[in-house]
Amino acid sequence: MKMNINFKVGFIIASLVLFTSCADMFDPALENIQNKDRLLERPDMVQGLLLNAYLRIPTNSFSFSEVATDDAVTNDLNSGLLNTGVGQWASDYNPLDQWTNSQSAIQYLNEMLSVVENSEFAANPVVNQMFINRMKGETYGLRALFMYYLLRSHAGVADGVLMGVPILLEPQTANSDFNIPRATFESCMQQLYSDIDKAIELLPDNYVNISNTSMMPVLYRDLGAETGEYNRVFGDDAKQLVSGRIVRAIRTQAALLAASPAFNLDNNQAKWADAATFASGMISEIGGLSGLDPNGVTWYNNVSMIENLGAGDNPSEILWRGSVGGPSNNLEQQNFPPTLFGNGRVNPSQNLVDAFPMANGYPISNPSSGYSGETPYTNRDPRLRQFILVNGSTAGPLNRTINTAQDSDTNDGLNKVETSTRTGYYMRKLLRQDVNLDPVANTGQRHLQPRIRYTEIFLIYAEAANEAFGPMSSGSFGFSAYDVIKAIRARAGVGTENGDAYLESIRSDQDAMRQLIRNERRLELSFEGFRFWDLRRWRANLTESVRGMRILNQNNYSSINVENRVFRDHMIYGPIPYSEMLKFNALQQNTGW
């Protein structure tokens, strides 16, 4: 910890310019060394502290931690996530560690809080105070976000007590006491909620230009701000910065974590109710069930929408996103099949393929499903072919047919070369099919990088409401867990021809609904970095071997074992880094690590 925190502010800012490639944000270029007094004279440097935290948000890129679960494997045999899946992660080797990244972000944020009040961002005192308030609100919101990621990665039981992480609210210096014990998980959650409350007080729900003062939050109307002044600080130009709505979404995510079996050891139903309440409020604001984006399933490949997205704007499926950026082909380079000049890195599992129901809504294991092992991809949930390249799918700008059979005459076949699939499947989700990797005609495309999607919020509500109130209770919210799942499945084209008879058959069964909700979450959020954490917070089965599909003669299908999953009970929780345990004896390690 000390190596990441024991620095001078000047060094932070100089390093920020070097490592973020955002030098164009600072004009003129920063000198190599700046002391704290100089920092206060340069508001752009103060903003740099906040920018550093934004750059550390884990969802700025896809983790593909699914390859450490039953959902996928990777053909990159040097992958740390592959090692994690086979049980070879440890307190001194944790590819999913968040300790260093998130603690460092919190240090920047605490430094921000220590200087922002004395910074001058505008000569007009009202505008200056609004800038200060906005940046404080962003800072509190981001500090809560990084606490969430720390708890998800490192909270756990130590000596019989559910522990969190050290709570750091002041910037640490060379003279600080670094030997700080972990706070309890509950104390960490209360601190997270406190930061959320402070952020909500200071931030508007959305950044948007207003036309009259009646649209202005009371705090800033009472401050005497005029419309133009308010728009300068909280208007359209601030879109994608942390807002009140984003902060409330972070609270919703954290509340679900706290309610889950691994972190709710006494099964406190009030925690499930809190998560449901937080999620329902956000859903109600977008019109309830009608706010579910009808095009949300293929948010990553809605070409016209992505290409015409205005600066800072979101499609209705996306609550918060990173930069769209310019044309790129990195995702496709890593994950297209070999015949499309890709490396085929993420290979979906047969386990995941089997999780997609039939188009009539029945699980493939149900006698009423109509599933046939001789034609396993026929009449399936449409999301299967939207998210996964199965044998015979077409892909790429020329709609090339992908042959994944073991006896394929192309390198797309099972285990043909090092970039071939290990499971008989390739990932399709997230990828733009109009990207061309052919060296002769290489083209990239714009990509969406969501940090939070509304579908996640709907699924949080469904899970929490089912646990707190049962599957059919709407309470004061106007919609139930059942209602949400029905809407999500109907949007996907599941059960639309028979009134979703399977869902109707379990509508009053809380246990069956729980399994269905978890399965819908698995499908809808696949390849977006959720499965690894979901299995752990649910205390679910983590030893299911990853299976694939061997195909011969285009009609002989047989399931094969691809990769064993090794799990020991203590791996429900991640470890505190071994290096930190060596340095600081006040820290307690999670049991088993």
Side-chain angles (χ1 to χ4, degrees), residues 230-511:
Y230 176 87
N231 290 343
R232 178 179 170 187
V233 181
F234 297 110
D236 289 344
D237 289 344
K239 289 178 179 179
Q240 301 308 331
L241 298 178
V242 170
S243 66
R245 185 182 299 271
I246 290 167
V247 166
R248 290 188 292 109
I250 295 168
R251 179 176 63 182
T252 302
Q253 292 174 317
L256 180 70
L257 182 77
S260 300
F263 301 98
N264 187 7
L265 301 183
D266 58 355
N267 194 27
N268 183 344
Q269 291 297 293
K271 293 183 178 181
W272 287 113
D274 286 343
T277 300
F278 296 150
S280 69
M282 304 199 70
I283 294 170
S284 295
E285 288 175 359
I286 60 171
L289 297 181
S290 65
L292 187 68
D293 183 359
N295 299 311
V297 174
T298 54
W299 58 267
Y300 55 91
N301 202 38
N302 295 337
V303 173
S304 177
M305 177 273 295
I306 295 173
E307 295 303 322
N308 293 297
L309 199 62
D313 290 340
N314 287 335
S316 56
E317 170 61 19
I318 307 297
L319 191 154
W320 188 29
R321 62 171 176 84
S323 173
V324 173
S328 67
N329 59 21
N330 293 335
L331 274 173
E332 290 75 19
Q333 180 69 59
Q334 289 297 307
N335 294 291
F336 266 0
T339 58
L340 298 181
F341 304 96
N343 291 314
R345 288 300 186 216
V346 177
N347 306 157
S349 65
Q350 186 64 45
N351 315 52
L352 176 59
V353 169
D354 288 348
F356 288 88
M358 299 297 286
N360 63 18
Y362 283 93
I364 65 170
S365 59
N366 190 293
S368 299
S369 69
Y371 173 76
S372 169
E374 296 179 355
T375 54
Y377 313 126
T378 301
N379 296 327
R380 298 291 294 275
D381 178 340
R383 290 173 295 186
L384 173 58
R385 288 182 180 268
Q386 290 167 332
F387 295 171
I388 295 174
L389 284 178
V390 304
N391 186 54
S393 294
T394 59
L398 300 179
N399 288 318
R400 184 188 299 273
T401 298
I402 305 302
N403 185 345
T404 67
Q406 187 173 36
D407 55 3
S408 170
D409 58 0
T410 75
N411 286 337
D412 294 340
L414 183 71
N415 292 324
K416 287 286 187 177
V417 294
E418 63 181 7
T419 56
S420 302
T421 176
R422 298 173 59 207
T423 62
Y425 302 103
Y426 293 96
M427 184 180 76
R428 185 185 182 99
K429 189 178 179 182
L430 310 182
L431 309 182
R432 289 278 299 262
Q433 299 303 310
D434 51 352
V435 164
N436 193 342
L437 297 178
D438 188 330
V440 178
N442 193 293
T443 59
Q445 300 292 349
R446 303 174 83 201
H447 293 74
L448 279 176
Q449 175 61 57
R451 292 183 176 132
I452 303 175
R453 293 203 290 127
Y454 271 108
T455 295
E456 180 192 353
I457 304 300
F458 278 93
L459 288 165
I460 289 174
Y461 175 79
E463 182 178 345
N466 183 60
E467 299 297 337
F469 319 119
M472 295 299 295
S473 176
S474 298
S476 60
F477 306 128
F479 43 85
S480 65
Y482 157 84
D483 293 328
V484 167
I485 294 303
K486 189 174 183 68
I488 286 174
R489 283 161 65 90
R491 177 181 71 173
V494 173
T496 55
E497 299 297 323
N498 64 353
D500 204 345
Y502 175 72
L503 176 62
E504 295 304 316
S505 73
I506 65 165
R507 59 185 294 165
S508 299
D509 185 332
Q510 185 182 43
D511 292 337

Side-chain angles (χ1 to χ4, degrees), residues 39 145 159 179 209 251 342 367 446 479-480 490 513 535 540 547 572 577:
L39 175 70
L145 177 67
D159 295 333
N179 197 20
N209 285 345
R251 179 176 63 182
R446 303 174 83 201
F479 43 85
S480 65
M513 187 65 74
L535 288 172
R547 294 175 289 110
I572 283 286

Side-chain angles (χ1 to χ4, degrees), residues 131-166:
F131 271 120
I132 289 172
N133 284 4
R134 191 196 78 193
M135 291 183 201
K136 285 174 62 179
E138 291 176 71
T139 301
Y140 285 123
L142 285 170
R143 193 165 71 176
L145 177 67
F146 284 105
M147 174 62 82
Y148 165 66
Y149 284 119
L150 281 168
L151 293 176
R152 192 176 72 167
S153 297
H154 300 289
V157 174
D159 295 333
V161 178
L162 183 61
M163 303 298 293
V165 296

